[in-house]
Amino acid sequence: MVIAMRPSDLPEVRALDLFKSVGDEQFSTMMQASYLQTFPAQVELISEGDPADFLYIVVEGCVELFARANGRESTMGMVRPVGSFILAAVLKDAVYLMSARTCQRSRLLMIPSQNVREAFERDEAFARSIVVELASCYRSVVKEHKDLKLRSAVERLANRLLRYNADQGGSGRVELPYGKRTIASMLAMTPENLSRAFNTLKPYGVEVDGATVRLTDITSLETLAKPNPLIDDRKT
Amino acid sequence: MVIAMRPSDLPEVRALDLFKSVGDEQFSTMMQASYLQTFPAQVELISEGDPADFLYIVVEGCVELFARANGRESTMGMVRPVGSFILAAVLKDAVYLMSARTCQRSRLLMIPSQNVREAFERDEAFARSIVVELASCYRSVVKEHKDLKLRSAVERLANRLLRYNADQGGSGRVELPYGKRTIASMLAMTPENLSRAFNTLKPYGVEVDGATVRLTDITSLETLAKPNPLIDDRKT
DNA sequence: CGACGATTTGAATAGGATCAATGGGAGTGG
DNA sequence: CCACTCCCATTGATCCTATTCAAATCGTCG
C-alpha cells in the first residue's frame, strides 16, 4: 500500500544532498515505489539482523538508532529531519547492524532497497552522492569511536555540552535535545553516572536545571574538555 | 620522485575489489602518478589532522591506524595486504582522522588524492566500487563501536580469540597476530588489564604461552563470549 | 490526589587504571 | 657462548571510575 507523498514533502527530500543530483527520472521512480508513513513514538521500525528492505528518510520527527547484545542496549545515534539511515546496509544488500525506533511521532519516507540499488546502478550522479554521504557517515562513526576510546566519561559529557552550546548559538544556555537517559546511553554511561558527571562539572560552570543547562564558565569547561576538531566537529 | 612499480605488484593492486572494475585508462593514469615505496618499521606515514594528500594501499607488510588525543593513544585498526586506508578522507578532500605507522617493513602504494578524485569523477565503475568499499569500512567501524559499547573487556577478548581461531583454521591453536600491547590497545584496554583478562579466561580453556594461545574448551568460551555475527563477522 | 516514569542520591561492589616491581626472552657486544 | 641490556609482559597493591542495587525525590499526566 503506497501512501502518496504530500507534494509539500517532496522538495525537502529532493533537497537532501543525497538526492540533489539524482536525475528526475530515477528520483520519481524511487518516489513512486516509496511509502511515506507516519509512526507514533516508540515504534521499533527495524531490528538489527533483519534484511535491509528499505532505506529510511526522516522527514519529520526523530529516530533513535540503537544496538542490542546480550541483555544490554545502547544508543548509537539519532536521526533528525532531513536525514537518512542504514544506507550502507541497503547498498550492500545486507542485514541491518542497528535497530531503530521513533522517539516522537515521526513521518518517514521508506524507499525499497531494490529501488535504491537500481537507481544507484543507473544514475551515475546518485552513485557519487552516495559516496559523499557514506564517507561522511563513516567519518562520523570514526569520530564517535575515538571519543569513546580516548576520553573519560566526564570529558565526553563536557565536549558534548560544548557541542550542544555551539549548535544552539553559543549563548551558554543549552537545552538538552534528548532525555538524560538517552544522552547517557549515547555517551556510553549509565543514567546514574551521567547525573554524577554533571555534578563533577559543577565547578566548571555547569548548572543543570531539568533539561536546561547553563554554561557559566566556558573557558574553564574547555580547559577540562580539550575539544578536538578531529573528534567533535560535525563537518569535515 | 616516482618510484616505478614493479610489474609483479601491479596485478595484486589491480585485483583489489576497489580497482577491479576501473577502466584501464583511469587505472594506468592513477598508477603513473603513484609512488610505490618501501618503508622500514615504525615509520609514521600520516598524522591525523594532515590534509589527505594520498590514498594508501598496503602491498606488503602491515600498517597500524591509530588516534591520539590529550596524552592518550589508541589503535584503531590494522591494514594488511592488500588493503587500503583513509579512503574517506581522500574522497572528501578532508584531513585525516587517524594517524598511521608501519608495524613492519612495508611496501606501500601511494596514489595522490587528486588522481583518485579525478578517476572517481571520470570513471563510473570506480565510483561504484568505492561505494561498496566505503560501505564495508563503515559497517566495520559500526561493529567495533558496538563491540566497545555493549561488551566488557573480557568479552571483547574472548570474542577476539574466537575470531582469530576461526581465521586461522579453527584448530584451537591461535597465534596472536600482533604484540599484546597492540592487541590491548585494539580492545581498548591496558596491557595489564589484558594480562588479567587472559587469566580470567583460563577457566574457560584459554592457555597462553607467549604469542600462542590454545583454546581447549571452545564451547565454554563461546558460552562466555556470546559471539554475535552482527558484531564479529568480518564479512556481511 | 495518586500513579507512574524519570532523575537523583546513597551505599556497596566490581571493573579498570595506575604505579611499582619482578620475571623473561630477543638482540647486542664481549 | 655468555653476560648485559632493553623492552615487553606479568604480578601485586592501590586508587579511581563506573556499575549495581536501593531508596528518595521530582514532575507530569490522568
Side-chain angles (χ1 to χ4, degrees):
Chain A
M1 167 186 52
V2 175
I3 296 171
M5 287 196 63
R6 291 199 235 159
S8 62
D9 295 320
L10 209 79
E12 296 177 72
V13 177
R14 194 78 172 97
L16 260 179
D17 279 341
L18 192 55
F19 295 118
K20 220 178 322 193
S21 50
V22 181
D24 285 334
E25 190 183 345
Q26 293 304 329
F27 184 72
S28 73
T29 302
M30 268 195 291
M31 289 308 110
Q32 277 163 30
S34 301
Y35 304 76
L36 182 66
Q37 206 165 330
T38 302
F39 295 89
Q42 299 304 322
V43 170
E44 186 161 330
L45 302 160
I46 61 175
S47 193
E48 50 189 299
D50 291 350
D53 294 326
F54 294 96
L55 172 65
Y56 287 78
I57 312 282
V58 181
V59 175
E60 204 181 299
C62 183
V63 170
E64 177 187 1
L65 301 176
F66 63 101
R68 271 188 282 251
N70 307 348
R72 292 152 246 179
E73 181 180 308
S74 184
T75 301
M76 304 295 286
M78 306 292 289
V79 189
R80 294 182 162 282
V82 181
S84 67
F85 56 95
I86 41 111
L87 177 58
V90 166
L91 291 170
K92 293 204 71 178
D93 197 7
V95 299
Y96 297 125
L97 291 181
M98 298 185 281
S99 304
R101 68 166 81 94
T102 52
C103 305
Q104 324 161 358
R105 179 181 165 83
S106 301
R107 219 140 41 89
L108 305 179
L109 177 65
M110 302 162 58
I111 313 175
S113 299
Q114 192 53 44
N115 295 83
V116 176
R117 287 193 295 270
E118 277 169 20
F120 166 69
E121 287 301 331
R122 288 185 192 147
D123 190 318
E124 195 182 334
F126 186 41
R128 293 183 202 292
S129 300
I130 284 177
V131 167
V132 175
E133 173 86 1
L134 269 183
S136 301
C137 292
Y138 174 59
R139 285 168 66 88
S140 291
V141 188
V142 170
K143 286 173 194 165
E144 278 177 51
H145 205 232
K146 286 172 65 174
D147 191 46
L148 198 51
K149 285 189 92 174
L150 293 167
R151 285 174 172 163
S152 70
V154 171
E155 288 171 333
R156 290 198 296 279
L157 175 59
N159 281 292
R160 190 59 62 108
L161 291 174
L162 289 170
R163 182 200 302 179
Y164 288 153
N165 185 48
D167 290 348
Q168 295 175 20
S171 68
R173 184 192 175 81
V174 174
E175 207 62 29
L176 297 178
Y178 314 106
K180 287 178 185 163
R181 161 176 297 280
T182 303
I183 291 177
S185 185
M186 286 196 289
L187 296 175
M189 38 180 144
T190 58
E192 294 95 326
N193 198 25
L194 174 64
S195 186
R196 287 168 182 132
F198 271 123
N199 281 326
T200 305
L201 291 179
K202 202 174 289 178
Y204 299 86
V206 176
E207 298 170 11
V208 183
D209 175 22
T212 304
V213 179
R214 271 181 305 282
L215 309 180
T216 62
D217 186 354
I218 305 269
T219 307
S220 158
L221 189 58
E222 280 179 336
T223 304
L224 172 80
K226 294 180 195 59
N228 180 333
L230 299 178
I231 299 178
D232 303 296
D233 276 16
R234 292 304 82 196
K235 336 163 191 186
T236 70
Chain B
M1 168 184 53
V2 174
I3 295 169
M5 286 196 65
R6 291 198 236 160
S8 62
D9 294 320
L10 209 79
E12 297 177 71
V13 177
R14 194 77 172 99
L16 259 180
D17 279 341
L18 192 56
F19 295 118
K20 220 178 325 195
S21 51
V22 180
D24 285 333
E25 191 185 343
Q26 293 305 328
F27 185 71
S28 72
T29 302
M30 268 195 290
M31 289 308 110
Q32 277 164 29
S34 301
Y35 305 75
L36 183 66
Q37 205 165 330
T38 301
F39 295 90
Q42 300 303 323
V43 170
E44 186 161 330
L45 302 161
I46 60 175
S47 192
E48 50 189 300
D50 291 350
D53 294 327
F54 294 95
L55 173 65
Y56 287 78
I57 313 283
V58 181
V59 175
E60 203 181 299
C62 183
V63 170
E64 176 186 1
L65 301 177
F66 64 100
R68 273 188 281 251
N70 306 349
R72 291 153 244 178
E73 181 180 307
S74 184
T75 302
M76 304 295 287
M78 307 292 290
V79 188
R80 295 182 162 282
V82 182
S84 67
F85 58 95
I86 42 110
L87 178 57
V90 166
L91 291 170
K92 293 203 71 179
D93 197 8
V95 298
Y96 298 126
L97 291 181
M98 298 186 281
S99 304
R101 68 167 81 92
T102 51
C103 306
Q104 323 162 359
R105 179 182 165 83
S106 301
R107 217 139 43 90
L108 306 179
L109 178 65
M110 301 163 59
I111 312 175
S113 299
Q114 192 52 44
N115 294 83
V116 175
R117 286 192 296 271
E118 277 169 20
F120 166 70
E121 287 301 331
R122 290 188 190 144
D123 190 319
E124 193 180 337
F126 185 43
R128 293 182 203 293
S129 301
I130 284 177
V131 166
V132 175
E133 173 86 359
L134 269 183
S136 300
C137 293
Y138 174 59
R139 286 168 65 88
S140 291
V141 187
V142 170
K143 286 173 192 164
E144 278 176 51
H145 206 232
K146 287 172 66 174
D147 191 46
L148 198 51
K149 286 189 92 174
L150 293 166
R151 285 173 170 163
S152 70
V154 170
E155 289 171 333
R156 290 198 297 278
L157 175 59
N159 280 292
R160 190 58 64 108
L161 291 175
L162 289 169
R163 182 199 302 180
Y164 288 154
N165 185 49
D167 290 348
Q168 295 175 20
S171 68
R173 185 192 175 80
V174 174
E175 208 60 30
L176 297 179
Y178 313 107
K180 287 177 184 164
R181 161 176 297 279
T182 303
I183 290 177
S185 185
M186 287 197 288
L187 297 175
M189 38 180 146
T190 57
E192 295 95 326
N193 198 24
L194 174 65
S195 187
R196 286 168 182 129
F198 272 123
N199 281 326
T200 305
L201 291 179
K202 202 173 288 177
Y204 299 86
V206 176
E207 298 171 10
V208 183
D209 175 22
T212 304
V213 180
R214 273 180 305 282
L215 309 182
T216 62
D217 187 354
I218 304 269
T219 307
S220 159
L221 188 58
E222 280 179 336
T223 304
L224 172 81
K226 295 179 194 60
N228 180 333
L230 300 178
I231 299 178
D232 303 295
D233 276 16
R234 292 304 83 199
K235 335 163 191 187
T236 71

